[in-house]
Amino acid sequence: MDFARRDIILSAAALALSSAACGAGRPDRKLGYAIVGLGSYGLDVIIPQFANCTHSRLAAVVSGDPFKAKRVASEHGLPASAVYSYANFDSIRNNPDVDIVYVCLPNALHAEYTIRAAKAGKHVMCEKPMAVSVAECEAMIAACKTANRKLMIGYRCHFEAYNLEAMRLAHTGAAGKIRYVRSEHGFVQRDPSKWRLKRALSGGGSLMDMGIYSLQAARYMTGEEPIAVTARESTDRRDPRFTEVEDMIDWTLEFPSGAIAGCQSMYSANQNHILLMGDAGRIELEPATRYDGNQMWVGKDGRERAVTPPPGPGKTQFAGQLDHLVDCVRTGREPIVSGEEGLRDMRIVEAIYRSAREGRTIRLDGRA
């Protein structure tokens, strides 16, 4: 047996023993998440959601602020051994209480911590956007495959009741043949010091943040993959907020069926809207992708009837996505929003930027 083959077999055996030791196969045990990044999203949005989960629990926290990390751990009944810094993060491999690492860091750090988590033998949930380039996405997928660990992207709208019902209506022909989708997402980013406005951390501006919602909606409402994109950017570079990244960018996607999607993202206006129009009617959500308070209507040419989604499993969208990854770990199934889904988005994002930069349509289907 050559050394490379021996190392692969030994690594696989070690990972299998690690999973067995942490009890991932016991259905009565909630799987433990380590939250990497205690900013507002990780701390104020994700961590409180474990109270709504059936199969997931908080097991560890990772932060560059030791005082905050210790305080959060104490508030949630975690031992001192469940607190990690970015420097000692790799030692999380020795903690059998941690089954999954949830990366809630600035975009430019997603790849590094996903790869480190996989090498530590942990499954990974990574916030959107998956990374800042196609190359990073591919490296993340490869690392998780090598480690035989699951990789899921935090596309929460795939677990949100209104979006799920809108997808169902669209895909079952409630609006007829789909002709057009409009999706606009944005908010007013006022503070120039925020990491989202620093290219080194964000990888871009509104497209890399709110634009992901617009892009995802165009894809999941049509159920198709785009074949071409045409984009245009509008940014006031005199504004101190936008010296490094774009403010507003709009793009048009063409789909194989002939459907068109008009999408927009911005950091200088509030918008949260999805509209699908078919030859027999329309489906509209506004607000469409908020944490709560979303609304939906259907009609022939307007908001004729409000739609309330049917009763679901009683979980929030956040608890739904947390427990979904646990289910995939237990069953071996691929997450419905896997790393490959994040990679597909990033390929389109790179094409959007290229189209806006070069002022031309970019084909996504390999045609010249």
Side-chain angles (χ1 to χ4, degrees):
M1 181 184 296
D2 60 65
F3 288 109
R5 185 181 174 203
R6 181 200 65 186
D7 290 344
I8 291 171
I9 291 173
L10 289 175
S11 296
L15 288 173
L17 288 171
S18 175
S19 294
C22 71
R26 297 204 316 265
D28 59 323
R29 176 185 178 271
K30 289 186 176 184
L31 297 198
Y33 275 83
I35 303 301
V36 184
L38 297 180
S40 60
Y41 192 75
L43 181 59
D44 300 328
V45 178
I46 296 301
I47 288 180
Q49 289 296 324
F50 286 107
N52 300 316
C53 290
T54 305
H55 306 294
S56 312
R57 63 186 176 87
L58 179 65
V61 292
V62 184
S63 174
D65 183 337
F67 300 104
K68 178 190 284 189
K70 290 176 182 177
R71 174 179 60 79
V72 173
S74 176
E75 290 172 351
H76 291 85
L78 299 179
S81 59
V83 176
Y84 296 86
S85 67
Y86 299 127
N88 71 3
F89 172 75
D90 298 318
S91 66
I92 206 166
R93 72 173 64 248
N94 301 317
N95 188 342
D97 286 335
V98 174
D99 306 283
I100 303 168
V101 165
Y102 194 151
V103 180
C104 297
L105 295 168
N107 306 340
L109 299 173
H110 288 183
E112 176 187 348
Y113 281 87
T114 293
I115 292 169
R116 288 171 70 179
K119 289 181 176 179
K122 308 302 180 181
H123 304 279
V124 182
M125 176 88 76
C126 179
E127 255 313 303
K128 62 86 186 163
M130 181 175 173
V132 298
S133 70
V134 166
E136 284 192 350
C137 292
E138 292 173 337
M140 294 160 71
I141 291 170
C144 290
K145 285 185 176 178
T146 297
N148 194 27
R149 303 291 89 175
K150 298 295 182 185
L151 172 59
M152 178 173 162
I153 311 304
Y155 288 133
R156 59 182 174 79
C157 292
H158 287 261
F159 304 90
E160 196 278 326
Y162 283 87
N163 282 261
L164 286 171
E165 180 64 3
M167 290 181 223
R168 188 192 69 80
L169 291 172
H171 299 170
T172 55
K177 181 177 174 60
I178 299 170
R179 303 304 302 139
Y180 181 70
V181 173
R182 182 72 192 167
S183 184
E184 304 145 324
H185 286 79
F187 70 97
V188 180
Q189 179 68 268
R190 299 188 184 279
D191 186 351
S193 69
K194 294 296 186 181
W195 69 261
R196 287 181 173 83
L197 299 177
K198 307 299 179 184
R199 182 171 293 277
L201 290 174
S202 64
S206 70
L207 177 58
M208 292 290 285
D209 184 6
M210 302 307 289
I212 300 297
Y213 292 107
S214 296
L215 175 56
Q216 271 279 299
R219 292 178 55 231
Y220 62 63
M221 290 297 284
T222 62
E224 295 187 82
E225 294 301 319
I227 58 175
V229 60
T230 307
R232 181 176 64 90
E233 179 192 334
S234 178
T235 302
D236 182 358
R237 294 297 177 182
R238 298 168 297 179
D239 190 320
R241 296 173 296 173
F242 305 120
T243 57
E244 297 185 31
V245 301
E246 80 279 354
D247 170 19
M248 185 165 62
I249 190 164
D250 60 82
W251 65 97
T252 301
L253 298 171
E254 302 171 35
F255 293 94
S257 67
I260 297 293
C263 303
Q264 193 172 71
S265 67
M266 65 207 79
Y267 269 159
S268 56
N270 296 314
Q271 182 62 285
N272 194 304
H273 184 222
I274 299 170
L275 171 64
L276 177 146
M277 290 180 281
D279 61 7
R282 49 190 270 160
I283 303 165
E284 186 172 11
L285 297 92
E286 189 175 23
T289 59
R290 286 184 183 171
Y291 296 168
D292 53 39
N294 297 320
Q295 298 184 66
M296 179 165 56
W297 297 266
V298 296
K300 182 178 180 181
D301 55 11
R303 295 179 173 182
E304 298 169 11
R305 180 171 63 88
V307 175
T308 300
K315 293 181 182 179
T316 64
Q317 57 190 302
F318 304 99
Q321 74 170 10
L322 290 165
D323 277 350
H324 176 69
L325 181 50
V326 170
D327 180 66
C328 291
V329 169
R330 292 195 188 282
T331 63
R333 291 181 293 187
E334 276 302 293
I336 61 173
V337 280
S338 65
E340 282 75 10
E341 178 74 357
L343 172 59
R344 282 188 283 269
D345 272 350
M346 190 50 56
R347 284 178 174 145
I348 300 169
V349 165
E350 288 193 353
I352 292 169
Y353 278 130
R354 182 182 173 194
S355 175
R357 185 173 62 249
E358 298 179 4
R360 65 185 182 92
T361 297
I362 302 297
R363 302 292 305 189
L364 300 167
D365 57 0
R367 291 172 53 188

